[in-house]
Amino acid sequence: MTRISLSVNGVQHEADVEPRTLLAYFLRERLGLTGTHIGCDTSSCGACTVLLNGQSVKSCTALAVQADGARVTTVEGLAEDGDWHPIQQAFHEHHGLQCGFCTPGMLMASVGILSENPDPTDQEIRHALEGNLCRCTGYQNIVNAVLAAAEDMRSSAAAS
Amino acid sequence: MATAERYVGGGVLRKEDPTLLTGQGSFVESITLPGMVHVAFARSPYGAARINGIDTGAAANAPGVLAVFTGEDLAGEWAAALPMAWPVTEDIRIPDHWPVARDAVRYVGDAVAVVVAETREQAIDAVDLVDVDYEVLPAVVDIESARADGAARVHEQFDSNDCYTWTHTNGDVDAAFAKADVVIKEHYTQPRLIPNAIEPRAVVVQPTPAAGDFTVWSTTQIPHIAKVLFALTAGIPEAKLRVIAPDVGGGFGSKLNIYAEDVTCLVLARRLGVPTRWVAGRSEGYVATIHGRDQIQEIELAADSAGKILGYRASILANMGAYLQLITPGTPLLGGFLFCGSYGGEAYHFECTGVFTNTTPTDAYRGAGRPEATYAIERAIDALGRAVGVDPVEIRRRNFLPKGEMVESPCGLAFDTTDYETNLDHAVDLLGYEALRAEQAERRARGATRQLGIGFSTYVEMCGLAPSQVLGSLNYGAGGWDAATVRILPTGQAEVVTGSSPHGQGHVTSWSQIAADALGVSFEDVIVLHGDTQVAPHGMNTYGSRSLAVAGVAVHNACGHVVEKARRLAAHSLEVAPEDLEFEGGTFTVKGVPERQTSIQEVAYAAWTAHSLPEGEEPGLTAHHVFDPPNFTFPFGTHVCVTEIDMETGQVEIARYLAVDDCGNVVNPQIVDGQVHGGVAQGIAAALYEEARYAEDGTLETSSMLNYLVPSAAEMPVFELDRTVTPSNSNPMGVKGIGEAGTIASAPAVINSVVDGLSHLGVTEMTMPATPERVWQTIQNAKGGAA
Ligand code: FES
Ligand code: FES
């Protein structure tokens, strides 16, 4: 057991974890944050994507001990004070989700993309989302949602 | 507040989204119960082997392990083997299919033992310690070797690997072929596909031992059917079972089944008296969840010299896999009426032989039989066009069934409503067909590296399953009805209880639109309940693009009954005759006396207090309706795929994808478009990327997401969509169904496009998936042949 200390969605946690515990399972089973989904066993699907110090990572590839001292954001931490993040709003308006299982990972990966590239093209989004699989939407509405969120975030950034 | 607004056809946003966007969805994987134990399955690594013995000692002693059971240990738990609900012929061979194998394994992934442990990791770790003494036997994995002389038999008790042969004939086929000027014969294969819903399967079972009750949460499309079949398999009275399908993360048919893991967790919960849980790993799901397709097809068209088709003959071999799951044998037959597609003719013959192999069972995967049939006819009509020297658009036009209602197809079915030419014309216009052909010619003339292909698919499909009598005549083991209960609560909200169980299709939203319009209440005031057999006791569930055309219509009709009753109660309170009332926007108004009115909510309150009801009326404002449609629905459309083919690398890129679908009246355009997007994506995936492959010994070579390519956003094109609207006459809403159309239509459009793009080299053949290697090889062969 190793003792780790990390901030998840703004809340500080201390926990003893097995060295082999994956961050995804730590979040789901120890912290009860079941919005982070597990869709595969080969780091292929991206359903488990979270932000680690602001960067999107597949939490099934990271060990919980690697998150020691880090800042983690999961889908449960996206909205602030009940106000949806622009990416959540955009997925809603553009029908970027059907069954919703890939969605937490898609949202977090999209936030990661937009923090690096606030004005991506359709093709840039498609390539940046390569590690996130969706079987329901055919991706078009996901891409449209990310484009819309980017525009929304740029205009609120310009306004502030 | 009542409102006159009409929601059906309008753009409302989905009610399902808020929980799913914030991580508050309730998926089975996230359910934990006090005292819950974790189940893992030891599985055969061999395609075929005899089990000479199993030593569970080491596994039983592993950390956290509570119990280990073999198939023999569990033998007394079953009242019946795993169910198969579609014995398509009298003489079909149905092998016993025990949830945990007893004396032999027949495919890689066949379960041989179950480990129960305190944690999932402990259970999975201990699975490796289960020591099975296997006597490995020769396996057969593909249809042709399974039918070869002296082939190893999957089931020793049968004298061959053939499972059944089903035939269907309409008209005098031999006469049609005898008088034909042109006969073409084509051979195609349908690769095996892995459905890959992104949510892996999972099950949690809560027993209440003193009561003998069980609650089963399952990632299922069919909670109601599952309840019946769990009861029959486990020998538990049906009334003691409650099945819940909470949020389900995609299905595409793969969750339309009764799986070994679900019933095993159920009997373990009974045996151990504690809650049990199993969650599939993705790779485990690759062997333990049904696969789709896997057919060898031969199709013959007989035509006159102008290319007008007289007769059809289709003969297919369908890989069943090692056992028959819920509708394994019937799945190919869902395409058995569609090998003539949207075209006319005098006579039709179809035959299908199911074949056992040492592979994971096949079953319904998005489209189920219809993508296979559509692929065959849509490729064959192109071949016919080539044979008579007619363009793909023109050959289709020449053969379309006429516009009309109850139009007799050569297959013998009457199609609800047809208007194929209008739809094709619209697609051709949107496409700018002439300009594309000119560009293709120009690229050919200059020997461009990237050549252009244009492929059409003018599909028709049959869905909305549907008339119970017809399903009965096909030996299908269940009905085709669906149910709805609608009640207006005393505080004014409308509760809609539906028998359909969604897993991404947005029923809550669409049903809210339907009910809000029919009852004249607001969209927000409609609450849709589903997916729990205790809350929604009657239903036939979600598959075969049936939800809207059957269950959605049941909601519409139940709302109609509510309004009828409300009208009688309103008339009573306003002291007029029911026919003196107008109903609009949720308000009953006395004709000609606009100030005398009452809202449906006021009526609901009065029905609840029941202080003053007309004679003979029961309290409460509620109605139940079961809808059993008189016919299937037959959506149709034109899909066009424009590909760019790199002549040096064989890489195929989709430059444009246009889909003009006709699914009758549309309730929610955004949801319909989303269904088309997702459906087309799965068809493109089949055409270009996906194929499950077995090694000769039965090993699944495409064993994980690393070597089975589920396409990402980077591989998918932008879709251009439009619609024509030809309302169905199979139901009062005029709706058809759109869940599978995209998948049914798209694969042939893509492959026709690739063939078209290489046609100047004399290429006429292409097999799915059209990978760069395959396309490159085809180009080399064609060039070699030309040289
Ligand atoms: S669960 Fe992490 S990538 Fe699939
Ligand atoms: S919405 Fe179902 S997998 Fe993406």
Side-chain angles (χ1 to χ4, degrees), chain A residues 96-103 106 133-139 142, chain B residues 14 196-199 248-250 252 503-504:
Chain A
L97 67 159
Q98 290 182 24
C99 78
F101 196 82
C102 72
T103 309
M106 285 289 176
L133 299 178
C134 174
R135 197 60 155 171
C136 296
T137 63
Y139 302 104
I142 291 177
Chain B
R14 291 207 323 168
N196 272 302
I198 300 297
E199 178 199 32
V248 175
F252 319 112
H503 35 286

Side-chain angles (χ1 to χ4, degrees), chain B residues 145 240 355 417 508 567:
Chain B
S145 37
K240 293 285 183 186
V355 182
T417 51
V508 170
R567 177 186 296 275

Side-chain angles (χ1 to χ4, degrees), chain A residues 37-48 58-61 131:
Chain A
H37 295 155
I38 313 248
C40 75
D41 45 17
T42 48
S43 321
S44 308
C45 75
C48 63
K58 293 181 175 179
S59 64
C60 75
T61 62

Side-chain angles (χ1 to χ4, degrees), chain A residues 20 25 28 34 37-41 44 88 92-93 95 97-99 101 126 130 135-137 139-141, chain B residues 14 17 21 29-30 121 194-196 250 282-283 365 504 670 674 677-678 682 690 711-713 716 718-719:
Chain A
R20 77 168 186 173
Y25 288 94
R28 289 179 55 83
T34 53
H37 295 155
I38 313 248
C40 75
D41 45 17
S44 308
Q88 291 169 305
H92 183 46
E93 282 168 15
H95 191 27
L97 67 159
Q98 290 182 24
C99 78
F101 196 82
R126 286 176 183 273
E130 225 161 0
R135 197 60 155 171
C136 296
T137 63
Y139 302 104
Q140 180 146 321
N141 287 344
Chain B
R14 291 207 323 168
D17 292 355
L21 284 166
E29 188 193 13
S30 304
E121 291 67 34
I194 300 180
N196 272 302
R282 171 65 51 184
S283 306
Y365 168 52
Q670 195 180 44
H677 289 169
Q682 283 178 26
E690 296 182 13
S712 76
M716 280 297 142
V718 173
F719 307 112

Side-chain angles (χ1 to χ4, degrees), chain B residues 23 64 137 144 205 374 421 440 489 496 522 591 620 644 662 671 677 705:
Chain B
L137 302 170
E144 273 161 341
V205 183
T374 303
E421 199 156 357
Q440 181 185 52
L489 305 179
V496 171
S522 77
K591 285 180 193 159
E644 285 196 290
D662 194 320
I671 287 176
H677 289 169
M705 276 185 164

